[in-house]
Amino acid sequence: MIIDADVHIAPREEKGNSIGADKLIDMMDKAGVDCSLTWLQPPYMRRVEPANSYIYKAVCKYPGRILGFGWADPHLGIKQSIDEIKRCLYDYGFYGIKLNGAQNSYYIDDPQLSIPLIEEIAKSGKLLAFHVGADSYDHTHPFRLAKIAENYPEVQILAVHMGGAGLPDLSSAVIEFAERYSNINLIGSNVGAKAVLKAIKTLGAERVCFGSDTPFQLMHVELAKYNALLNDVVTLKEKKLIMGGNIMRLLKLGQKR
């Protein structure tokens, strides 16, 4: 099974910039992707609830294909954000919550803005995802991710972009911290192929997941890149883990939730 672990959709499609659920399914079918871990696509206006609600409707329309993940922005209010986290996790049944300090301009380890949300997610036993990219490296720097991983060892964390998505490339730092903290799992989306290969060789195939960053990147092209990268480099069993098996394990797909 092939699972794309980094996909964004939006309620209102804009030509060449964003996609909705129907377009995503069409792209998945053409690329040969079975499921997509899906969160909202910024920007959004003042409220995040309508976009999360759209993700939920997409999950209901395409069960088993679109795997819903929530989003919270602490600048919209801590209480409101915690309420939205609860709605996403318990009412919608999403697999976890993503926090994006780059898009929403906050330090991901900020004790007033981020930590209260992390505490709520940690209580749920579900996944926590962070944008970890060079596009706003101070807000989402790998050392901030490491502090969270150390303080919440029971929480499985997805490091989306694994320090890529711009310059300077922070992937080596992400890999180094992931060596130290086993609850950090890397999603190799919008990052160089050499960085993905280094992560696999350093951490093992069990810690790295395929992701395309659709629609910012082209799903079928990113899939082809991974196929070219992994063939004759890892075993077939390891490739299956990277291309979907690891996400299946982390999301506990096939198990009662």
Side-chain angles (χ1 to χ4, degrees), residues 76-135:
L76 301 179
I78 300 302
K79 182 181 183 302
Q80 293 92 325
S81 294
I82 290 176
D83 288 344
E84 184 62 12
I85 287 169
K86 291 178 179 178
R87 181 180 296 110
C88 287
L89 297 180
Y90 304 118
D91 295 345
Y92 296 162
F94 286 169
Y95 290 96
I97 300 293
K98 183 177 180 181
L99 302 177
N100 190 329
Q103 173 69 35
N104 300 138
S105 300
Y106 63 91
Y107 298 104
I108 59 172
D109 60 343
D110 186 292
Q112 279 76 47
L113 289 175
S114 188
I115 296 302
L117 309 191
I118 293 171
E119 293 274 2
E120 189 63 39
I121 298 162
K123 289 190 296 186
S124 74
K126 295 193 177 184
L127 296 178
L128 173 61
F130 289 103
H131 173 108
V132 183
D135 50 346

Side-chain angles (χ1 to χ4, degrees), residues 7-241:
V7 170
H8 304 259
I9 60 175
R12 298 177 63 182
E13 294 189 17
E14 298 177 13
K15 186 176 180 180
N17 183 52
S18 60
I19 60 171
D22 296 340
K23 178 64 175 177
L24 171 59
I25 292 297
D26 182 58
M27 295 172 70
M28 290 166 61
D29 289 342
K30 290 178 179 177
V33 170
D34 298 292
C35 314
S36 288
L37 190 61
T38 305
W39 29 59
L40 64 83
Q41 180 180 344
Y44 45 84
M45 298 299 293
R46 296 188 180 181
R47 296 174 58 208
V48 74
E49 296 95 325
N52 281 329
S53 176
Y54 178 73
I55 302 294
Y56 176 63
K57 292 173 183 175
V59 170
C60 293
K61 186 173 183 178
Y62 297 105
R65 305 280 325 266
I66 295 178
L67 309 174
F69 220 88
W71 186 293
D73 177 358
H75 285 305
L76 301 179
I78 300 302
K79 182 181 183 302
Q80 293 92 325
S81 294
I82 290 176
D83 288 344
E84 184 62 12
I85 287 169
K86 291 178 179 178
R87 181 180 296 110
C88 287
L89 297 180
Y90 304 118
D91 295 345
Y92 296 162
F94 286 169
Y95 290 96
I97 300 293
K98 183 177 180 181
L99 302 177
N100 190 329
Q103 173 69 35
N104 300 138
S105 300
Y106 63 91
Y107 298 104
I108 59 172
D109 60 343
D110 186 292
Q112 279 76 47
L113 289 175
S114 188
I115 296 302
L117 309 191
I118 293 171
E119 293 274 2
E120 189 63 39
I121 298 162
K123 289 190 296 186
S124 74
K126 295 193 177 184
L127 296 178
L128 173 61
F130 289 103
H131 173 108
V132 183
D135 50 346
S136 183
Y137 70 92
D138 196 20
H139 283 135
T140 68
H141 197 281
F143 86 85
R144 301 188 188 280
L145 177 75
K147 288 166 60 179
I148 295 165
E150 181 174 15
N151 290 331
Y152 299 90
E154 74 283 8
V155 178
Q156 289 296 322
I157 297 172
L158 304 179
V160 184
H161 310 310
M162 51 177 280
L167 294 173
D169 187 334
L170 300 173
S171 60
S172 291
V174 172
I175 294 167
E176 183 177 336
F177 283 124
E179 279 190 279
R180 191 179 306 174
Y181 303 107
S182 61
N183 56 329
I184 297 177
N185 306 275
L186 309 189
I187 298 180
S189 58
N190 205 351
V191 67
K194 288 185 177 180
V196 174
L197 185 59
K198 180 179 179 180
I200 294 168
K201 290 183 174 180
T202 304
L203 304 172
E206 298 81 4
R207 302 280 300 284
V208 182
C209 306
F210 161 65
S212 70
D213 201 16
T214 296
F216 304 108
Q217 302 294 330
L218 299 174
M219 181 182 288
H220 68 286
V221 174
E222 295 303 301
L223 183 61
K225 181 182 83 172
Y226 265 77
N227 281 325
L229 175 67
L230 299 179
N231 287 343
D232 301 321
V233 174
V234 299
T235 67
L236 180 58
K237 180 179 180 181
E238 290 172 329
K239 182 178 180 181
K240 288 181 177 179
L241 290 176

